Amino acid sequence: MKKLLLTVVLVIAVVAAVVFAAREPTIARWDRQIGDDPLIVIADSDSSQAYAGAMLLSQLKRDAYIKTMSEVTGYYQDTILVMTCGAGDLTQFGIDIDDCNSLDDNQGIIKVMMVNGNDILLVTGKTGFDVRRAANFLRYNKQAVKQIRTDEAYITGTTFSDIVVEQVG
C-alpha cells in the first residue's frame, strides 16, 4: 500500500513539473506563447529601423496590429514590445529594463516574460538597427530560435548574417 501511495505521489509530482515547465516562458516557444493577434507596441519617437523590426515581427502573426506607446494603457495579453533602449517607458508593462545600460555596441536583447499573467515579448537594442537585427533573427532563423532554452538572449552582430546569440540565465 505504501508503494502504491508513493508511486501515485511521484506520478502527480512529475505531471505537475511537466505542466509547469511547459508554461515557463522561453524564447524557443515564444511563437506559441504569443497568440495570432498580438499587440505590437513601438515607441512614439523611435527610429524607422525599430519600426522596420516591428513590421518584420508582424509578418509572423496573422492578425498582429501595431500601436505606439501613447495609444496603449495598461496590460494586454500577447504583447510584443519593439523599441530602442530608452525610447519608451516600459514601466506601464511592469518592465524595468536596466539591461539597456549594460548593452555593448551592436547588441540587442530578446526577452520573454509573464507580467501580471500576460505574455510579453521584448525586442530591444542600443540602436534602431540593433532592434531590427534582433527582430530579423526571430523572423528568419526559426531553427536557431528553437535552440534558445532561456527567457533572455543577447543578439550581437554588425550585419544580418554575422549574428551571435548568447543565452542568458
Side-chain angles (χ1 to χ4, degrees):
M1 184 65 168
K2 286 183 182 180
K3 286 184 181 182
L4 178 62
L5 182 59
L6 182 60
T7 303
V8 169
V9 169
L10 184 60
V11 168
I12 291 172
V14 168
V15 169
V18 168
V19 169
F20 180 73
R23 188 61 183 133
E24 281 290 306
T26 66
I27 293 170
R29 292 193 298 257
W30 86 268
D31 195 35
R32 290 186 303 266
Q33 288 171 226
I34 302 291
D36 285 335
D37 60 344
L39 171 64
I40 300 176
V41 180
I42 59 173
D44 292 305
S45 60
D46 214 333
S47 72
S48 60
Q49 293 290 336
Y51 184 77
M55 293 299 295
L56 281 168
L57 293 175
S58 72
Q59 295 168 7
L60 288 172
K61 295 297 187 171
R62 182 171 26 122
D63 296 320
Y65 51 104
I66 299 173
K67 289 191 174 191
T68 61
M69 291 287 288
S70 63
E71 297 176 290
V72 177
T73 57
Y75 299 101
Y76 292 87
Q77 180 67 19
D78 300 332
T79 300
I80 301 173
L81 303 169
V82 182
M83 62 190 64
T84 306
C85 285
D89 179 14
L90 301 176
T91 55
Q92 69 175 320
F93 292 97
I95 298 170
D96 181 18
I97 188 71
D98 289 331
D99 298 327
C100 284
N101 296 328
S102 65
L103 284 178
D104 295 329
D105 290 339
N106 303 313
Q107 195 169 53
I109 299 173
I110 299 170
K111 187 172 186 175
V112 293
M113 63 200 94
M114 292 287 290
V115 179
N116 291 349
N118 298 300
D119 291 308
I120 306 278
L121 172 69
L122 173 65
V123 180
T124 189
K126 198 165 194 173
T127 68
F129 192 75
D130 299 333
V131 173
R132 184 175 171 198
R133 185 183 311 104
N136 190 73
F137 172 76
L138 285 172
R139 173 72 172 92
Y140 293 110
N141 296 286
K142 291 181 183 177
Q143 291 304 317
V145 169
K146 289 180 181 179
Q147 302 304 313
I148 303 175
R149 301 291 180 208
T150 59
D151 64 350
E152 184 174 354
Y154 291 107
I155 307 299
T156 306
T158 56
T159 67
F160 292 124
S161 60
D162 70 344
I163 293 173
V164 175
V165 178
E166 176 188 346
Q167 297 185 45
V168 179

